[in-house]
Structure formats: C-alpha cells, structure tokens
Amino acid sequence: MILPKSSRLAPEQEAEVTAIVAEFGCKIQPIIGAVRTIYAILGDERDELMINRLEGLDYIDRIDRIQSPFKLMDRRSDLANGRLTLGGVTLGKELFVIAGQCTIDPKNPNFFYETAQAVKEAGAQMLRGGVWKPRTNPYTFQGDTKSLDILMEGSRRTGLPVDTEVMEEEHIKLALDAGVTLLQVGARNALNYSLLRAIGRALGTRTDRAVLLKRSIHMGAVNEFISAAEYIAAFGNPNIILCPRGTSPGLDGYRNHPDESITPLLKEKTWAAVVVDPSHSVGKASYVPACALAAVAYGADGLCIESHVNPSHGIGDDPKQALTPEVLHKTIRQAKQLWSVRRGDAA
Ligand code: PEP
Ligand code: MN
C-alpha cells in the first residue's frame, strides 16, 4: 500500500509510480479515503527492489506492507481513518438503523409506502425493501424488477436512502441507475466472488454508494467474511459494511445461529462498520428486539431490521419476522439508550 505525503498523487506522480510497479508485474489501485487517497499495489508486492524504489520517491510518505489476508480491510490499514456517512449518520458516531420490508409486494405498493413512512417515524435512517429475492424454494415468489420503482418511490416520499439486495450483475446496474444507495449482498451470495468483483468494479471509487455484505449462511471463519469484503475493496471502494445475520446450522428453536457476538472480533480485525441483522438471525418477530439489543451491547454500529405495517399481510419473511412499527420504535429507543450506556454517557 502506497501512502503519499499529500492527500493524493499528482497525475505525473501516479504515472511514475504506475511505471515502477509495472516493471515488477504489479498495478496500482487508488482507494479514495476520507483523509487521503492511498494506492493499493495489486500483485506480488514483496519485491524489495520495487519497495526501495518507491520509498525513494520524495513525494511518498511510506509503503505499508501489512501481512494480512485482507490488507485493505485490515484494521492496521490506512483506510481505518475513514468514516462512512449514510442517511445523515456517520457510522460509529450514533446508532444507524436500516428498516423496512423483507420483500416488496408489487401487488400492494401502498403497504410499502406506509411501511416506509412508519419506519422513518420509528427512527430508521435508511429504508430497506427486497426487490429481487433469494428464496430457498424455487416455486415461491422470487421478486420482481417492477418493485424497484416502488422502492424508489418509497425513498422519494420519505427522503430516506434505500438498501436492496442484488443477486446478479444485471441487478447492480439497475439498482445503481435507479438511485439505490446501499447494495446488499445476501448470505447466499456472500462468497460469490464473481458477484463481489462485479460490485467492486461497478462502484469503483464512487463515494456516494456503499455495500452491505452479509455473513455467509454457513458458519465460515471470520477471516473468510472479511476476505469477501476485500474483493470489493480491491476495486477502490472502501464503503463497506459487514453484516452478521446468523449462520447455519441454526441454534435449536432459532432460524439461524445468532452471531452478533462476533462483533468485537470483527472490530479487532477490521475497521469496517458492523451492522447486525437480528431479523434473519433469530427469524421470529418476538425474539428480534432482544437480539437487536444484544448486538448493540456487543458493539454494533447499527441494525438492519425487517419491519412491516401489517406483517401478517406481508410476503417473504415478513409474516414471521417483521416487527410492527410500534415494536420497531421501542427497539430503536432502547437500542439508543444502550448505545449511551455503552459509551459511558448514562449514569
Ligand atoms: C434479506 O435481507 O431479506 C435476506 C434474504 O437476507 P439474507 O441474505 O441474510 O438471508
Ligand atoms: Mn428477509
């Protein structure tokens, strides 16, 4: 990783650095951070001669060689100085809440508009709504591209930015063109490296969009989770949120094995914000508030919660795990109180 002395390299400096690393079979990838742009060396960066030549340039501060399977996502990376702001919230400074329906029902758009307004009033800063759905059963509703318009209309009516899952390359462009702020990679695609690469490529260095990467559905090692995020970051976009959402096999009586407890471990290894999804983790509306609070107690920066104005009339996961706006409101209020306790503000 190349750290320049100034906030970014001038074009002729970038050209010189590019030419040097090319001699050693490497490329550079700019990563626009909040404080400065840094340059990842793509390829084998162990050649001492290459490092010495780069370090000899008077406009280079230093070369960081982090020995880590995820050198950009690593806590010791220069990217740790950046902060992501979404929906007016700087993650890490106050609790960030994404809420909304699991699945948008294209036959009942009014439910979505009412849900959007209700989650805003309950305190959410971002609206979620599933347009395309990864369903275990191929004969159940798989989502509908028409719902993208409903999602964006919900965003316009409330002023909230939106989050939706993308499962195929085609979805990425549709979602970005429509104005989706947060692209969600679901638990089933969390290790789909070609999709992760496609997202990284599509976002490039765009600082106005971000990715919510769920933890893979099977209980993989935490390093595997962070390395999946590295696939996206390697294309230059550090706007990545990690989302534990429970793993499989589930804990007896729960949909999955709740894993909000990995939050401190993630925070030790990486600088990325952690937004926990308690809805898929426990899979039952009555258990969701406790799981949400546990996530905040463990140090999560935010929550992604399924909510619906009328859960029993919802589709997808909503009948079983969506919170009503009243319960969502209470959960957010309590989560904020716990956040203050965590920070040591409360007596
Ligand atoms: C969802 O968010 O509705 C969803 C399908 O999530 P996951 O990928 O975590 O199962
Ligand atoms: Mn869902």
Side-chain angles (χ1 to χ4, degrees):
M1 193 113 64
I2 303 167
L3 287 82
K5 284 185 179 151
S6 56
S7 61
R8 67 168 305 156
L9 292 175
E12 60 283 6
Q13 294 169 338
E14 191 170 325
E16 185 175 24
V17 167
T18 303
I20 293 173
V21 301
E23 283 180 45
F24 298 88
C26 296
K27 290 188 186 150
I28 58 166
Q29 170 65 57
I31 316 262
I32 302 174
V35 180
R36 62 177 157 183
T37 299
I38 59 170
Y39 300 80
I41 302 172
L42 304 181
D44 187 353
E45 60 174 329
R46 284 172 305 181
D47 198 300
E48 284 302 324
L49 182 57
M50 176 176 79
I51 301 299
N52 289 344
R53 284 185 51 195
L54 292 170
E55 278 178 342
L57 300 169
D58 59 4
Y59 50 86
I60 296 298
D61 178 12
R62 62 178 202 279
I63 311 295
D64 266 1
R65 276 181 294 172
I66 296 170
Q67 294 305 314
S68 166
F70 34 86
K71 52 191 176 185
L72 295 173
M73 297 303 298
D74 195 286
R75 206 168 167 83
R76 292 162 294 174
S77 148
D78 194 61
L79 293 175
N81 299 321
R83 277 260 198 254
L84 177 58
T85 298
L86 288 171
V89 175
T90 300
L91 276 84
K93 294 220 163 134
E94 60 178 292
L95 180 74
F96 174 62
V97 181
I98 307 169
Q101 293 179 5
C102 167
T103 307
I104 296 172
D105 180 354
K107 296 203 185 88
N108 287 296
N110 284 333
F111 272 144
F112 187 71
Y113 303 142
E114 286 165 30
T115 297
Q117 194 55 40
V119 302
K120 181 182 181 181
E121 283 162 20
Q125 300 100 348
M126 184 175 262
L127 175 64
R128 62 156 286 157
V131 173
W132 303 286
K133 296 307 298 180
R135 304 302 303 279
T136 310
N137 182 338
Y139 306 115
T140 52
F141 179 64
Q142 306 284 307
D144 189 332
T145 300
K146 281 192 225 122
S147 299
L148 191 55
D149 291 338
I150 302 171
L151 178 70
M152 296 320 299
E153 178 62 19
S155 173
R156 268 186 293 278
R157 291 188 185 194
T158 55
L160 294 179
V162 290
D163 156 45
T164 202
E165 176 168 354
V166 291
M167 300 194 298
E168 293 165 24
E169 246 185 279
E170 188 198 337
H171 300 162
I172 302 170
K173 185 169 170 17
L174 287 169
L176 290 177
D177 289 350
V180 171
T181 297
L182 188 63
L183 300 183
Q184 180 174 316
V185 180
R188 291 157 190 80
N189 272 313
L191 299 178
N192 178 344
Y193 299 124
S194 48
L195 182 71
L196 297 176
R197 266 197 221 99
I199 291 177
R201 209 177 297 119
L203 290 180
T205 51
R206 282 186 77 151
T207 50
D208 59 337
R209 309 297 173 102
V211 182
L212 181 84
L213 177 66
K214 300 262 192 126
R215 189 178 182 200
S216 145
I217 206 162
H218 294 291
M219 202 181 294
V222 163
N223 279 7
E224 184 181 84
F225 184 19
I226 305 172
S227 296
E230 182 88 8
Y231 270 86
I232 302 167
F235 285 90
N237 199 312
N239 294 348
I240 300 170
I241 299 173
L242 297 176
C243 180
R245 47 77 73 202
T247 51
S248 190
L251 190 60
D252 194 20
Y254 292 85
R255 177 171 176 176
N256 283 295
H257 191 107
D259 63 348
E260 65 284 346
S261 58
I262 68 164
T263 303
L265 179 59
L266 288 172
K267 293 205 159 272
E268 214 167 78
K269 287 172 175 269
T270 173
W271 46 263
V274 177
V275 167
V276 170
D277 171 348
S279 303
H280 293 86
S281 190
V282 296
K284 192 168 167 185
S286 58
Y287 303 160
V288 169
C291 182
L293 296 180
V296 175
Y298 270 113
D301 300 293
L303 299 164
C304 177
I305 303 180
E306 290 186 342
S307 178
H308 193 293
V309 276
N310 191 340
S312 63
H313 284 75
I315 58 174
D317 293 330
D318 287 327
K320 56 180 192 271
Q321 65 192 37
L323 299 188
T324 61
E326 294 71 33
V327 178
L328 178 70
H329 183 235
K330 184 172 173 203
T331 305
I332 294 176
R333 188 163 41 79
Q334 292 181 333
K336 284 186 172 165
Q337 286 167 352
L338 192 54
W339 179 282
S340 303
V341 172
R342 202 179 82 193
R343 262 207 334 219
D345 293 355

